[in-house]
Amino acid sequence: MNISQTPEKIRALIAPLRGQRIALVPTMGCLHAGHISLIRKAKYLADVVVVSIYVNPLQFGENEDFNQYPKTFEKDAEICKNEGVDVIFHPENLYPENGARVTLKVSDMSNMLCGIARPSHFDGVLTVVNMLFNIIQPNIAIFGEKDWQQLAIIRRMVSDLHMPIEIVGSEIIRETDGLAMSSRNRYLNPSERQQSLVLSEVIRLIKNNIQQGEKTTKSINLGMDNLKKHDISPDYLEIRNEITLQPENTITPQSRMFIAAKIGKTRLIDNISLKTESENTL
Ligand code: PAF
């Protein structure tokens, strides 16, 4: 396994591999079982797997956790090696000395859901993902479905900018008790860790109610009551179209339920498709 730290070095390393199918798994490190599932999917779908590890400053707001974001490079490299990753791209900095001058934005999808509490977050994500795509020029790139809004926005960028890259979503990996895996889960103390379970429980409860014929508004209200009972006041608990991210009043096969809430100081997100099991197997 090779480790490259500059765009020039990784380009030179990948040049002789062009012609094979190259997959990129973009990450910010602190790899866990969720990332491992992305790497395994990449290995299944491609000949060469590149994992990028870069904590992108541009996607963090002023009062967010950029400085605390866990950095575990040696452990991450070990995981990548064990998973058969071909190349790690681990740049120190991808921006000009005085910061980003060119940024990207998806006008109608960045200012909703997580974009309300994190107004410039998705511009930062798109800008860095675009850079990674330009540097590595992968055939496919794999993203976790936990960050569904990020995935939808990246899909929109690739489609609207005619980028020749296939975007693959990979299903949410959960702890055995249901909590969606995230590098930020390590910030939770034991009582917050317990409280965080309510998020996945509530979206599953709402999905079950809707599937049993209950009205969506009533089901969401029930979910809100449940959150309140556990002292959780969510940033949002909403049903939206999973492609356009626009609100949905009636349930369709593209309906998805989204939740975000702060547990202590840690902001957690989760989502679930509202497709029935039979639609899932179509
Ligand atoms: O999902 C993440 O870890 C990041 O947002 C990404 C896609 C690596 C961009 O920094």
Side-chain angles (χ1 to χ4, degrees):
M1 184 181 73
N2 281 290
I3 300 174
S4 286
Q5 287 186 312
T6 65
E8 295 72 26
K9 283 192 180 144
I10 193 155
R11 277 215 183 100
L13 198 72
I14 291 178
L17 307 174
R18 299 256 171 242
Q20 298 187 68
R21 198 164 159 76
I22 298 174
L24 170 65
V25 181
T27 80
M28 299 207 297
C30 193
L31 304 184
H32 50 67
H35 296 109
I36 293 176
S37 76
L38 305 183
I39 294 171
R40 291 186 180 164
K41 189 159 230 171
K43 285 215 54 99
Y44 178 73
L45 294 172
D47 309 309
V48 177
V49 175
V50 179
V51 172
S52 64
I53 298 181
Y54 179 58
V55 184
N56 170 34
L58 200 64
Q59 70 188 73
F60 289 80
E62 258 176 36
N63 300 317
E64 293 185 7
D65 56 341
F66 176 65
N67 289 322
Q68 293 108 277
Y69 202 84
K71 296 199 176 63
T72 55
F73 183 73
E74 273 173 26
K75 195 165 159 247
D76 294 344
E78 190 66 32
I79 291 174
C80 288
K81 194 167 163 215
N82 292 341
E83 292 299 323
V85 167
D86 299 284
V87 186
I88 294 181
F89 180 48
H90 183 45
E92 215 167 278
N93 175 35
L94 286 176
Y95 294 93
E97 230 170 72
N98 296 328
R101 290 171 296 209
V102 179
T103 58
L104 277 171
K105 187 185 208 67
V106 171
S107 58
D108 62 340
M109 293 166 94
S110 300
N111 53 359
M112 56 176 71
L113 300 172
C114 284
I116 293 172
R118 309 186 74 192
S120 58
H121 170 66
F122 291 110
D123 305 354
V125 170
L126 279 185
T127 304
V128 81
V129 168
N130 186 47
M131 281 195 220
L132 293 169
F133 285 177
N134 288 333
I135 294 165
I136 290 151
Q137 297 178 15
N139 302 92
I140 67 172
I142 325 282
F143 294 86
E145 292 183 350
K146 181 179 73 68
D147 297 289
W148 188 278
Q149 186 173 9
Q150 164 174 286
L151 174 64
I153 287 177
I154 290 168
R155 283 200 164 116
R156 176 60 61 82
M157 168 178 79
V158 164
S159 143
D160 283 12
L161 300 186
H162 307 280
M163 299 168 108
I165 300 172
E166 184 188 336
I167 302 299
V168 177
S170 194
E171 73 181 56
I172 299 176
I173 304 296
R174 297 180 180 280
E175 303 286 355
T176 45
D177 57 11
L179 177 65
M181 285 196 186
S182 161
S183 305
R184 290 190 168 98
N185 290 353
R186 62 167 60 196
Y187 298 154
L188 302 167
N189 68 31
S191 80
E192 292 166 350
R193 175 66 183 75
Q194 191 58 33
Q195 196 189 15
S196 68
L197 290 182
V198 181
L199 268 60
S200 55
E201 284 167 7
V202 157
I203 55 175
R204 259 184 289 137
L205 173 86
I206 295 174
K207 175 172 174 153
N208 286 344
N209 278 1
I210 290 174
Q211 287 184 344
Q212 277 161 27
E214 192 60 86
K215 290 223 160 45
T216 51
T217 328
K218 194 162 172 207
S219 305
I220 290 181
N221 287 343
L222 191 81
M224 288 299 276
D225 289 347
N226 241 284
L227 290 166
K228 202 165 164 198
K229 238 191 292 165
H230 290 89
D231 284 330
I232 299 173
S233 148
D235 285 355
Y236 56 78
L237 175 67
E238 290 179 31
I239 296 170
R240 290 191 174 236
N241 179 286
E242 63 183 19
I243 303 200
T244 64
L245 300 182
Q246 295 306 312
E248 295 219 307
N249 298 323
T250 52
I251 300 299
T252 72
Q254 288 180 352
S255 297
R256 190 167 279 268
M257 164 123 252
F258 295 89
I259 188 168
K262 263 196 165 171
I263 306 291
K265 288 194 171 137
T266 309
R267 193 164 180 283
L268 299 179
I269 56 175
D270 204 344
N271 68 80
I272 194 167
S273 164
L274 296 180
K275 272 186 209 135
T276 60
E277 295 316 313
S278 60
E279 282 167 338
N280 269 328
T281 57
L282 286 180

